[in-house]
Amino acid sequence: MSWFKRESGDYEPDPNPPVNGDAERRVRTEGLWIKCLGCRQALYKPDVAANLNVCPKCQHHFKISARQRIELLLEPGYEFVDGGLRSTDPLNFQDIKPYKARLRKAQEETGLDDAILNAVGQLGPHSVVLSAMEYSFIGGSMGAVVGETIARAADRAREGRKPLIVVAASGGARMMEGVVSLMQMAKISSALAQLDDARVPYICVLTDPTTGGVTASFAMLGDLNIAEPGALIGFAGPRVIEQTIRQKLPEGFQRSEFLLEKGFLDAVVHRREMKDYLARALDFMRPVA
């Protein structure tokens, strides 16, 4: 079996050999593959990243961060604004762990102050204000900081007469802040009403998932409401609804395609087409002087 003979006797020993024969060996490809939640296929991570974090086989849209979302939509040279806001834990809330500890961990893991980023920049030829939610920060939940940040974005858009775009990705209101979080629904809606009175366009992009108090407020108030394919959008989750009404829900219930069919959305747009779609939409929605 000469074809099996090593040409050189030199080889690199395993730097971390197993302690004994039964020890689990380290897989050197660990972290290079992910499983698609749509087609259940194993995907090579760099291929998915090169495809805008969309499955190249079934087009399932993976979640992406707020920073990635801003990079995809705005031209280079955009500026982050309205930062530096942090929750004060008004209720001194604690369940399994203190709310302060949850905030600290989320801030360390994401590098953000809270579940939102505001930026101003160019989307194609249009100067816009963009708010992008960060789902990995306590489920993208909306507390006082998120509410204040989006309200500031609406005020900034109104004063500068620039279109406002909000990318929603949230599990809903942040109940660790109690009624303070629920008040953000009215606060943001009021700011958007002023934006509407000023006749400045507002577009909401709903991604997976957009639920709870976010859906019940600003996520459905856009002059144009669009979503990514397959996004879960609703108030209560499907499981809660089924348990409440004791009936099986239709196939694809609360997914973006279902909501488009029922008239809750204006369009479902693939991630690779989102920037061009928004630019074309803004061509028809220029702020009225």
Side-chain angles (χ1 to χ4, degrees):
M1 297 179 62
S2 58
W3 57 272
F4 191 69
K5 187 179 297 182
R6 186 185 300 273
E7 294 296 331
S8 171
D10 298 330
Y11 67 95
E12 283 191 21
D14 189 344
N16 297 300
V19 177
N20 53 60
D22 296 330
E24 183 178 354
R25 293 183 177 272
R26 179 173 298 176
V27 180
R28 297 194 178 186
T29 57
E30 184 180 1
L32 293 178
W33 299 84
I34 56 175
K35 179 180 284 188
C36 176
L37 300 177
C39 62
R40 315 301 295 178
Q41 296 292 312
L43 305 173
Y44 187 48
K45 253 187 175 179
D47 289 345
V48 177
N51 199 39
L52 303 182
N53 284 286
V54 176
C55 174
K57 298 182 179 180
C58 73
Q59 305 306 306
H60 170 77
H61 284 50
F62 291 90
K63 295 179 180 65
I64 60 175
S65 69
R67 285 192 179 92
Q68 288 175 303
R69 187 74 61 179
I70 292 171
E71 289 174 1
L72 286 176
L73 295 180
L74 297 185
E75 308 296 336
Y78 58 83
E79 177 187 1
F80 288 112
V81 294
D82 304 321
L85 300 177
R86 292 195 171 199
S87 174
T88 58
D89 188 14
L91 303 180
N92 197 25
F93 187 88
Q94 179 169 341
D95 47 17
I96 300 175
K97 63 173 69 172
Y99 177 41
K100 286 186 177 68
R102 291 186 186 277
L103 283 171
R104 191 160 49 249
K105 181 181 179 183
Q107 289 162 353
E108 291 172 355
E109 291 179 347
T110 63
L112 303 180
D113 293 323
D114 215 287
I116 190 78
L117 276 178
N118 278 0
V120 292
Q122 294 292 127
L123 195 159
H126 303 282
S127 180
V128 301
V129 179
L130 175 63
S131 281
M133 301 190 74
E134 177 59 69
Y135 186 76
S136 61
F137 194 107
I138 314 181
S141 49
M142 177 177 63
V145 172
V146 171
E148 174 65 18
T149 303
I150 297 179
R152 289 189 184 189
D155 291 342
R156 185 182 294 273
R158 175 172 51 82
E159 293 166 2
R161 304 203 61 77
K162 298 178 181 179
L164 172 63
I165 300 172
V166 175
V167 181
S170 175
R174 187 175 299 172
M175 298 315 298
M176 289 83 91
E177 296 185 16
V179 70
V180 175
S181 67
L182 297 177
M183 289 170 62
Q184 306 311 310
M185 299 167 63
K187 179 178 183 176
I188 298 174
S189 298
S190 177
L192 293 176
Q194 293 177 330
L195 191 68
D196 182 62
D197 290 341
R199 306 185 74 179
V200 176
Y202 164 48
I203 299 177
C204 190
V205 179
L206 295 85
T207 67
D208 183 51
T210 301
T211 59
V214 168
T215 304
S217 56
F218 66 86
M220 285 295 184
L221 293 179
D223 299 307
L224 188 66
N225 294 323
I226 61 180
E228 289 188 334
L232 176 66
I233 303 167
F235 184 70
R239 188 183 308 169
V240 173
I241 296 174
E242 285 185 338
Q243 291 173 348
T244 302
I245 66 175
R246 301 182 185 279
Q247 292 185 27
K248 186 68 176 175
L249 296 173
E251 185 69 25
F253 181 76
Q254 289 186 320
R255 294 293 170 177
S256 50
E257 293 79 9
F258 185 90
L259 270 67
L260 177 65
E261 179 185 339
K262 301 302 179 183
F264 282 86
L265 294 174
D266 298 300
V268 175
V269 182
H270 195 285
R271 186 173 293 165
R272 66 170 171 264
E273 300 169 356
M274 186 67 71
K275 183 176 180 178
D276 290 339
Y277 185 95
L278 290 172
R280 288 197 305 272
L282 290 174
D283 287 338
F284 294 96
M285 299 172 68
R286 294 181 184 276
V288 177

